[in-house]
Amino acid sequence: MKIEDFILKIKRKCMKLRLQPIRVFCLHHVCETYDESTMYYDDWMQIDKFKAKVLSMQQEGVEFISLKEAYIKITNDKFRNRKYAVLTFDDGYASLKEILPWLEKQKIPVTLFINGKYLDGKSYRKNPKEQYLSKDELFAMKSQFIEIGSHGWEHKRATEMTAEEFAESVKRNIGLLSGHPNYIPFWAYTYGSHSNNTDDYLHRQGLVSIYIDGMKNYKEIKVIHRELL
């Protein structure tokens, strides 16, 4: 084990003693019907199962907070013994319309990470049957319980782009989404694919990097880890 990895491991153990981690979940489809042609089974959760999971966590003392609030806590808290969790949804699928009203009724904040290209009603990732929120639908979502973050212009791995292509993806997506009243400067990597170069570029643009790697959040500046629910 490299010395820096060993030091990080010790640091995490120390943090765990005084900082309750904030769990940040990554979801995609929460809807009644699973469609194998447009969804991955691991990315889908049936509505009643999702509601039961959320309510069960609340009964266990978990408080759902916004990603922006979680980031402030993660970067500033000296001590944390309360249980917090964050719900985030990737890609901006139209199936969100089935669950967002219930979450708003429960006063549970969510963050939607959006690929701008697919808001046009014509573009898609895998096949023409995919349905996404339209730009009008997204920009009509002005609830205080909804935040809008970026997921890239297209759903492409950052590590498979050139530096110029990645910069263009950032520019186009932020240029579109920053006009939303609930926009936050957070960038969730597609597939969790990233590098030191992409992290450095996002940081220079004033964006917070969001990963999906199943690790826990304690206190790491500019870092938010996510896991599947």
Side-chain angles (χ1 to χ4, degrees):
M1 179 183 291
K2 294 181 179 178
I3 184 66
E4 56 266 31
D5 293 335
F6 177 75
I7 293 174
L8 180 60
K9 185 176 181 180
I10 296 300
K11 182 181 177 183
R12 285 185 177 281
K13 286 186 176 180
C14 292
M15 287 182 175
K16 191 173 183 180
L17 294 175
R18 61 184 174 86
L19 286 169
Q20 176 78 25
I22 297 177
R23 301 183 70 183
V24 182
F25 295 107
C26 174
L27 300 111
H28 294 77
H29 295 279
V30 175
C31 54
E32 205 57 48
T33 305
Y34 172 70
D35 183 348
E36 65 179 5
S37 69
T38 62
M39 304 175 187
Y40 296 111
Y41 192 77
D42 290 342
D43 290 345
W44 170 77
M45 185 176 287
Q46 198 268 341
I47 290 177
D48 285 346
K49 182 179 178 180
F50 172 79
K51 290 180 178 179
K53 178 70 173 179
V54 168
L55 294 175
S56 173
M57 290 178 66
Q58 288 181 319
Q59 290 171 359
E60 293 170 3
V62 176
E63 179 183 350
F64 287 93
I65 60 175
S66 71
L67 182 63
K68 187 161 57 176
E69 183 179 355
Y71 180 68
I72 293 172
K73 289 183 178 298
I74 289 167
T75 55
N76 291 285
D77 284 356
K78 305 298 183 184
F79 178 80
R80 186 189 317 119
N81 61 3
R82 294 189 63 181
K83 297 179 181 179
Y84 296 103
V86 179
L87 297 179
T88 72
F89 291 83
D90 284 0
D91 306 343
Y93 291 111
S95 60
L96 285 169
K97 291 184 288 186
E98 295 189 38
I99 194 60
L100 287 181
W102 181 81
L103 288 168
E104 183 174 4
K105 184 178 180 181
Q106 300 297 314
K107 298 183 179 180
I108 295 176
V110 298
T111 301
L112 311 183
F113 286 113
I114 303 297
N115 299 111
K117 180 177 180 178
Y118 311 128
L119 297 175
D120 63 4
K122 298 178 292 184
S123 302
Y124 51 88
R125 282 178 54 195
K126 299 186 289 293
N127 67 61
K129 290 184 179 180
E130 290 178 336
Q131 296 182 344
Y132 296 86
L133 297 170
S134 69
K135 181 181 177 180
D136 287 345
E137 287 173 331
L138 182 70
F139 275 73
M141 293 180 178
K142 299 179 181 179
S143 167
Q144 62 176 313
F145 298 106
I146 297 177
E147 297 175 334
I148 306 299
S150 183
H151 201 39
W153 181 248
E154 296 181 68
H155 202 281
K156 290 185 176 181
R157 296 178 187 272
T159 52
E160 294 178 355
M161 301 183 198
T162 65
E164 292 75 18
E165 289 171 338
F166 183 68
E168 180 63 18
S169 176
V170 173
K171 179 181 177 181
R172 293 188 72 179
N173 218 43
I174 300 306
L176 173 63
L177 298 180
S178 60
H180 195 290
N182 294 357
Y183 168 77
I184 57 173
F186 287 60
W187 181 283
Y189 284 110
T190 55
Y191 304 106
S193 170
H194 65 95
S195 68
N196 289 335
N197 288 337
T198 59
D199 281 349
D200 289 343
Y201 181 79
L202 293 179
H203 180 54
R204 292 197 301 273
Q205 304 305 309
L207 297 166
V208 179
S209 301
I210 310 294
Y211 307 93
I212 176 165
D213 51 15
M215 298 180 73
K216 297 294 187 292
N217 293 295
Y218 293 105
K219 183 177 180 181
E220 298 178 80
I221 307 302
K222 300 187 295 298
V223 175
I224 296 284
H225 300 289
R226 296 192 295 166
E227 58 185 300
L228 297 178
L229 182 64

